[in-house]
């Protein structure tokens, strides 16, 4: 099912909290050491949120391998959330991220969809309308440009399937326990009802690579010839938005070196909005460090 050969990455995303709109779990949590089994029979479709990052790549591999073994690969679809461009026309995401996600779908032979927020032309527009940067306690970026888009796509697939009842969907994402204590606490399987009356859809979030280390993620790429984005080869450790206030400063400095025009536009917005990009450092300081 996989294509080789594969160029090994030289470096070790926002898998983003895409389904935070859902209600509390009905499925018991499992520890990272004991990966929970996903019940394909109980679901009509499994959507994989693929940002084009390495964790998405290994998630696609894991889901498709398990689905194939269970004879359920036909239920799997890959969704890439398009975050649009800035006012000056720069992509918010890394150029080529969409193509990497598309390559994942092609490799595993599953349908690929690209969707964008119905409310916001781009994440940039959303940030400017908000008037301040996203932060740990203001994740409107993921809820509006990823979570809502994922929900709409689940509804779209549900309508396509003409089930005559609410669609039962799995939603797989590449979050891993190693990334942060908050992510370590997340259950591998979490059954939710969407906000509202719960009559439109039932969605199970699934974190199939939650237990993997970064090294294991890269090994899965090498062993299976999974495509990765070239930004990793240029020193990036994560493939989130090119300028994410939640990213590590070292990654932002490297990103500013690779994306000087985009960072210049963001720095201008920082001045215009009067809010520092990160608590610990401004975009101007990031740009200065990138130049030094
Ligand atoms: S700004 Fe950061 S947290 Fe928000 S969507 Fe982009 S990568 Fe994810």
């Amino acid at each position: 099912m996989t294509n080789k050969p594969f160029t090994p990455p030289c470096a070790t995303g926002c898998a983003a909290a895409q389904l935070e709109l859902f209600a509390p779990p009905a499925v018991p949590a499992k520890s990272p050491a004991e990966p929970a089994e996903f019940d394909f029979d109980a679901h009509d479709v499994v959507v994989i949120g693929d940002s084009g990052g390495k964790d998405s790549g290994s998630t696609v591999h894991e889901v498709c391998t398990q689905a194939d073994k269970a004879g359920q690969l036909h239920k799997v679809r890959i969704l890439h959330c398009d975050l649009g461009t800035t006012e000056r026309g720069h992509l918010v995401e890394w150029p080529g991220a969409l193509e990497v996600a598309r390559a994942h779908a092609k490799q595993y032979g599953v349908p690929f969809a690209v969707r964008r927020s119905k409310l916001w032309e781009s994440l940039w527009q959303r940030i400017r309308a908000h008037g301040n940067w996203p932060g740990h306690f203001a994740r409107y970026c993921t809820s509006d440009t990823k979570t809502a888009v994922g929900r709409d796509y689940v509804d779209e697939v549900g309508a396509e399937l003409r089930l005559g009842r609410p669609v039962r969907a799995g939603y797989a994402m590449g979050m891993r326990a190693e990334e942060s204590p908050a992510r370590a606490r997340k259950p591998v399987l979490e059954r939710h009802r969407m906000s509202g009356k719960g009559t439109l859809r039932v969605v199970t979030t699934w974190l199939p690579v939650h237990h993997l280390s970064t090294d294991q993620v890269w090994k899965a790429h090498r062993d299976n010839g999974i495509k990765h984005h070239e930004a990793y080869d240029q020193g990036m450790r994560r493939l989130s938005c090119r300028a994410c206030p939640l990213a590590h400063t070292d990654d932002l400095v490297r990103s500013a070196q690779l994306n000087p025009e985009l960072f210049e536009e963001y720095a201008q917005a920082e001045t215009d909005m009067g809010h520092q990009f990160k608590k610990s450092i401004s975009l101007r300081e990031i740009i200065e460090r990138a130049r030094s």
Side-chain angles (χ1 to χ4, degrees):
M1 186 166 43
T2 58
N3 293 336
K4 293 177 182 179
F6 165 67
T7 309
C10 65
T12 62
C14 165
Q18 295 180 9
L19 289 182
E20 284 164 355
L21 292 177
F22 296 107
V27 174
K30 300 263 177 135
S31 76
E34 184 196 352
E37 255 186 47
F38 182 80
D39 185 352
F40 285 96
D41 288 329
H43 295 83
D44 306 304
V45 63
V46 182
V47 175
I48 305 171
D50 190 335
S51 65
K54 67 183 188 309
D55 297 331
S56 294
S58 55
T59 299
V60 170
H61 171 70
E62 197 57 43
V63 171
C64 291
T65 302
Q66 288 189 34
D68 196 37
K69 272 188 197 158
Q72 306 267 331
L73 191 59
H74 61 281
K75 288 185 179 174
V76 178
R77 298 176 184 227
I78 292 178
L79 171 68
H80 180 80
C81 297
D82 174 8
L83 304 182
T85 63
T86 63
E87 212 172 320
R88 295 182 197 166
H90 302 298
L91 283 174
V92 171
E93 299 171 75
W94 286 83
L98 186 155
E99 286 72 22
V100 171
R102 191 194 304 281
H104 294 157
K106 190 173 176 205
Q107 177 175 0
Y108 289 87
V110 296
F112 179 65
V114 181
R115 296 289 183 275
R116 193 184 283 186
S117 164
K118 289 176 181 164
L119 290 178
W120 303 98
E121 188 61 25
S122 70
L123 175 53
W124 175 260
Q125 193 192 66
R126 178 71 189 92
I127 290 170
R128 295 309 307 261
H130 190 78
N132 198 351
W133 305 102
H136 284 292
F137 300 105
R139 293 290 291 273
Y140 64 85
C141 50
T142 49
S143 59
D144 289 359
T145 62
K146 294 194 171 184
T147 311
V149 175
R151 176 201 60 206
D152 290 348
Y153 184 63
V154 166
D155 288 351
E156 183 185 323
V157 175
E160 225 176 78
L161 294 175
R162 297 174 190 272
L163 298 161
R165 57 163 171 76
V167 62
R168 291 192 290 258
Y171 201 102
M173 294 180 287
M175 285 183 211
R176 294 184 296 114
E178 200 185 74
E179 293 177 289
S180 70
R183 290 198 170 182
R185 285 193 294 274
K186 287 195 178 290
V188 172
L189 287 173
E190 195 172 6
R191 180 159 287 202
H192 305 269
R193 283 191 177 276
M194 283 298 293
S195 50
K197 292 179 184 170
T199 52
L200 292 176
R201 66 196 81 80
V202 178
V203 178
T204 304
T205 57
W206 179 20
L207 311 181
V209 300
H210 191 250
H211 59 293
L212 295 187
S213 66
T214 301
D215 286 348
Q216 287 172 319
V217 165
W218 282 125
K219 185 175 184 315
H221 279 68
R222 286 192 298 274
D223 290 352
N224 299 286
I226 302 166
K227 190 171 175 64
H228 69 279
H229 194 283
E230 63 183 10
Y232 291 115
D233 301 325
Q234 295 170 323
M236 294 302 298
R237 290 173 299 183
R238 292 190 175 192
L239 197 83
S240 52
C241 292
R242 288 196 277 174
C244 168
L246 306 184
H248 192 285
T249 299
D250 292 347
D251 284 322
L252 286 167
V253 170
R254 183 65 187 128
S255 184
Q257 288 168 341
L258 296 168
N259 305 291
E261 291 178 355
L262 176 94
F263 272 71
E264 196 49 52
E265 188 175 3
Y266 270 63
Q268 186 58 52
E270 183 179 57
T271 306
D272 294 348
M273 294 196 294
H275 292 290
Q276 188 162 296
F277 185 64
K278 264 175 95 74
K279 248 187 185 170
S280 57
I281 190 166
S282 71
L283 279 158
R284 286 283 166 219
E285 289 168 308
I286 290 169
I287 291 170
E288 272 171 35
R289 275 207 215 175
R291 286 176 181 155
S292 65

